[in-house]
Amino acid sequence: MAPVGPRSGDAIFSSIDRVNAELFMLTYGAIVRQLLTDLEEVEEVNKQLDQMGYNIGIRLIDEFLAKSGVSRCVDFKETAEMIAKVGFKMFLGVTASVSSWEADGTCCSIILEDNPLVDFVELPDTCQGLYYCNVLSGVIRGALEMVSMKTEVTWTRDVLRGDDAYELQVKLLKQVAEEYPYKDDE
Amino acid sequence: MIVCVSVVGHQNNPLYIQSFTDADDALKLHHIVHCSLDVIEERVNNPKKSGTTLNEAFLGLLYPTVNYKVYGYLTNTKVKFILVTTDLDVRDTDVRSFFRKFHAAYVDAVSNPFHVPGKKITSRTFAQTVSNIVGSYGLN
């Protein structure tokens, strides 16, 4: 069977099963609320959301590669474009844009104009340090780690904290070479 | 001129009250809203036999006092919206569309995962939206 060529984010998004956005947003809100009740420390909740995102990301990457059929990315720039244009479109239905490339090409910003996770959400005064969408940073980190890239993902702008858009900074720490468990000469 | 809007929960606990004139005493407005709750109870428990359906959300003019008119709206979850206005001639359609927009804003505020149902509405967006709705009331 001939391999399926890479499809655009829109094409994939329209062909897969979808869920009601309000249900999704209310479910995620319930998760965050429960974490806040259980852990009580905002920093702990941030870490836990990141860890949850990481666990999602390591599994999501296979789904992404299978459905989108993209070939190997030549460099980190292409990877970032792929995440923003195809990945976010496919899973969240929003298109993100990539900007602010560092000179050495290892650090960039992904900007989301709108985010379905945070419709109707307002942070109460007791949780001002909370990164509500921290699960997204974990997802990107987990997914990239499965394709041999160690990255660090942080939020630089967050609408819930008063900025005008969501901006994630993705920094490539190193490319881990594939390790084989067997030595060559055995 | 809209003087005050209020949201009252199903146990008659106040969830939100906002007045739009500085001249009047906030306490007096609280009293007016409180008294109108009795009228709502009465309307709900003894439906008029003149043919209005039992599921009507808009309750209409609750009672006119000396200076004010009070309108009520009841949602299916027994949350009540009260509107106090000093206008002498008020069009029914204006008030109905006001309550519709108010209901939409209320639903958005309650969908916030950090809002506890039954507690006061502390959303700044809700306050802003309500001010906008009041500002655009009667301009069309």
Side-chain angles (χ1 to χ4, degrees):
Chain A
M1 197 178 84
V4 178
R7 298 153 70 192
S8 73
D10 285 322
I12 309 169
F13 185 64
S14 51
S15 65
I16 54 179
D17 292 330
R18 279 172 270 176
V19 73
N20 182 320
E22 284 195 14
L23 176 64
F24 179 56
M25 168 257 150
L26 288 171
T27 309
Y28 184 70
I31 293 177
V32 176
R33 276 267 311 280
Q34 194 56 43
L35 282 174
L36 278 167
T37 319
D38 290 341
L39 299 171
E40 286 168 25
E41 273 288 302
V42 167
E43 268 318 303
E44 275 301 312
V45 175
N46 284 339
K47 262 194 266 179
Q48 207 42 355
L49 284 173
D50 189 73
Q51 187 56 35
M52 278 167 55
Y54 178 80
N55 291 334
I56 295 174
I58 57 180
R59 293 162 175 88
L60 202 67
I61 183 69
D62 281 318
E63 166 95 14
F64 173 74
L65 291 171
K67 289 262 160 67
S68 65
V70 297
S71 52
R72 238 182 143 69
C73 291
V74 169
D75 59 4
F76 188 61
K77 282 202 171 117
E78 211 180 313
T79 312
E81 285 289 327
M82 211 44 74
I83 295 175
K85 297 273 164 349
V86 186
F88 270 104
K89 184 74 199 171
M90 204 168 132
F91 292 111
L92 286 180
V94 293
T95 317
S97 55
V98 186
S99 69
S100 316
W101 277 104
E102 292 278 311
D104 53 2
T106 57
C107 187
C108 70
S109 291
I110 296 184
I111 300 177
L112 285 158
E113 289 300 326
D114 74 325
N115 186 342
L117 287 173
V118 302
D119 287 337
F120 315 126
V121 175
E122 271 184 52
L123 286 185
D125 296 324
T126 50
C127 311
Q128 285 301 318
L130 181 69
Y131 284 114
Y132 189 81
C133 314
N134 220 23
V135 80
L136 293 178
S137 61
V139 168
I140 295 180
R141 185 168 65 91
L144 287 176
E145 194 162 311
M146 284 289 120
V147 285
S148 322
M149 283 181 253
K150 271 188 107 57
T151 52
E152 192 184 303
V153 186
T154 45
W155 287 98
T156 42
R157 281 194 286 166
D158 192 343
V159 171
L160 294 175
R161 291 180 168 210
D163 302 311
D164 51 352
Y166 295 96
E167 187 174 324
L168 272 168
Q169 191 189 58
V170 183
K171 192 175 159 78
L172 175 66
L173 297 173
K174 63 175 182 171
Q175 291 238 342
V176 181
E178 303 257 347
E179 276 188 22
Y180 293 99
Y182 311 105
K183 290 225 196 69
D184 277 341
D185 50 9
E186 281 192 345
Chain B
M1 237 267 294
I2 293 185
V3 165
C4 157
V5 290
S6 172
V7 180
V8 181
H10 64 100
Q11 285 157 339
N12 290 339
N13 45 327
L15 295 178
Y16 183 79
I17 179 157
Q18 174 73 48
S19 64
F20 296 98
T21 54
D22 304 316
D24 295 301
D25 196 14
L27 197 56
K28 192 163 81 162
L29 295 170
H30 276 247
H31 278 151
I32 295 179
V33 168
H34 208 83
C35 294
S36 58
L37 293 176
D38 279 334
V39 182
I40 294 182
E41 287 286 328
E42 202 184 288
R43 288 265 180 105
V44 165
N45 294 336
N46 318 325
K48 288 201 280 249
K49 305 250 171 79
S50 56
T52 44
T53 62
L54 288 171
N55 293 334
E56 186 65 54
F58 178 61
L59 301 168
L61 183 61
L62 296 175
Y63 74 120
T65 60
V66 174
N67 304 325
Y68 307 115
K69 290 187 172 183
V70 183
Y71 287 87
Y73 181 99
L74 181 67
T75 67
N76 288 24
T77 49
K78 301 273 188 277
V79 172
K80 307 157 186 85
F81 301 150
I82 314 266
L83 169 70
V84 181
T85 173
T86 51
D87 274 338
L88 290 174
D89 58 342
V90 177
R91 279 186 300 180
D92 200 48
T93 44
D94 279 348
V95 183
R96 279 182 195 263
S97 82
F98 174 89
F99 275 129
R100 227 188 357 260
K101 291 185 218 163
F102 195 76
H103 195 169
Y106 171 74
V107 165
D108 288 347
V110 167
S111 307
N112 181 1
F114 293 107
H115 172 261
V116 180
K119 291 272 165 71
K120 287 197 190 309
I121 299 177
T122 51
S123 157
R124 275 174 289 256
T125 325
F126 179 66
Q128 184 62 42
T129 317
V130 169
S131 302
N132 291 345
I133 299 175
V134 169
S136 66
Y137 169 75
L139 287 177
N140 46 342

